[in-house]
Amino acid sequence: MVRPIQKVVIVGGGTAGWLTAGVIAARHQARIRGGSFSVTLVESPNVPIIGVGEGTWPTLRTTLEKMGVSETDLFRECDAAFKQGAKFARWTTGAQDDAYYHPLMLPQGFGQVNLAPHWLADGHGRSFSELVCPQEDLCEDGLAPKTITTPEYQGQANYAYHLDAGKLAPFLTRHCTEKLGVTHVRADVKSVTQDAAGDIQSLVTEQAGEVEGDLFVDCTGFKSLLLGQTLGVPFKDCGDVLFCDTALAVQVPYATPDDPMASHTLSTAQSAGWTWDIGLPTRRGVGYVYSSRHISEEDARAELAAYVGPAIEGLSVRKIAIRSGHRETFWKNNCVAVGLAAGFLEPLESSAIVLIELSAKLIAEQMPANREVMDIVAARFNEVTHYRWGRIIDFLKLHYVLTQRTEPFWVDNTDPATVPERLQNLLRLWKYQPPGHLDEFDRLDEVFPAASYQYVLYGMGFRTEVDPLEVEGGKAQAKRFLNEAAALTQALRAQLPKNRDLVRKIQEYGLQTI
């Protein structure tokens, strides 16, 4: 008999476990209600989650909407705020005025014309992102991406969220168990049983006995209890490319409840890494991600204190070990890893949650009908996921290789031996042609579009040689889109509220449901 896949067991909670549970359960609601399919999440009552305050990608809006989550409830219960991109300060030269934006909006007319050559030919003294889309100006003005009358999950500008990860997991727990039919088992796993072929048969738990399943999702964090420990899948370290291996995190209260709240992540380069600064309604989440090979913990703490200022006095600073890398394979036998169990890269560009979303979506949509076809689905999952991890590593490294800073950490990052070959080849190509809509980035499994590479490249002073005749030929079309971008910027600056003001209104009145 061909064994159908009817019982999905997720091991581990946190953002990874509950997002995965929610995505799978929402996709298979009819089967869950019909009694032919179940999603069970086994979570230890004794293991705390790692969450320190999260930046997300705009994809989370679609993910939560498909799960049936109220955006108003998200803001009210998860200390959420809007994120419209990231501002990178002092990454290129280290000078006080050295900064650029990676906004979440695409350049105007992105699918029809590449505006990069036209900016390179004549940028009118403005940054690339400022010229081609409104979002840099919106962030500089401290504006929100929508108004109180804009329905849930819609916006005048593209946006993601900043939120409190410690509050997100319990929020998702309630939604998944109360609305989506996910079974929640609070128990510690004592051992894992396997069949003769190596498949996982069940979890033996301390408080709930044996939990059997057909497909197991490992969301046990860095421990990787199922994929790493039980099935023996090795970890591939990426520390030779991405050097940061430690983070110091602190929660900083605002001086007053009316302090401005940034609608972007602020990432500021330091001597041996960088600090993140995320504005939530009640506090800022600040952290220093650094390479312990290039700075001592004592000096890193001093740099963090210098960044935060006197407000750091008396605050608790958490130290978190980072091991950049991923499992050599992500789905083996009847077990697939999601989240930290699959791997982790430094938190630059908020790639952790988007990888959870993409993996959960792929599992939900490609859910194998039976064990006979599972290995085919697993091979496809592994191919796509390997590609995604590789491209994220390339994109994160791009932020380091263009620097002109002279501290050892930054100089070492520009060593070609630490730069992936694919990225080296693209950088050579981009000297003569800018990244474009169809240039290497047209796969469905891309995480970062060509526009993201443009924002970082040209934000950090990279130059592409452009053909004057080509620029002249597309001048009229480019001018039209640049004028559209300028008009949109002016209109949005006039109509959008301050970020903090809108978040307060959402908490008080709520957004319109669609």
Side-chain angles (χ1 to χ4, degrees), residues 379-396:
R380 183 184 299 172
F381 180 94
N382 286 328
E383 181 188 359
V384 169
T385 308
H386 268 291
Y387 181 82
R388 284 175 171 156
W389 279 87
R391 298 302 69 78
I392 291 173
I393 291 167
D394 288 347
F395 186 62
L396 299 191

Side-chain angles (χ1 to χ4, degrees), residues 122 376 485 503:
D122 183 6
I376 300 169
V503 170

